Amino acid sequence: MTRGSAGGTGVAGGRLGLYGGAGAGAWELVRAAISAEDPAAVAALVSGFGDAERRQVAGELAGHIPAAAERGEVLWRERDDLREAC
């Protein structure tokens, strides 16, 4: 099963515990869903949050985006290097 599918293993599939469970903070849950490349879980989490939780996630997300973009660039370079080696 692919990551992020509605019937998958993420929040949308009914397994919140995969991302830290009820004891985890809002940002920790969202960060785990982002790391798992599960956009359905991110959407399900955020849509269930209250104002304070959404503000917490927004504040943390601002610092996460540059690091995630940098990681994406590294992955693309690695992919290109592998392609050239073949």
Side-chain angles (χ1 to χ4, degrees), residues 69-81:
E70 184 178 325
R71 178 68 183 141
E73 290 175 17
V74 169
L75 291 173
W76 276 105
R77 283 193 299 272
E78 289 174 356
R79 180 193 63 100
D80 288 343
D81 290 346

Side-chain angles (χ1 to χ4, degrees), residues 29-69:
L29 293 170
V30 170
R31 184 181 58 208
I34 291 170
S35 295
E37 299 177 16
D38 192 343
V42 174
L45 284 164
V46 174
S47 69
F49 289 160
D51 288 341
E53 292 166 314
R54 284 194 300 271
R55 279 193 287 276
Q56 177 197 10
V57 169
E60 296 290 342
L61 189 58
H64 179 76
I65 290 172

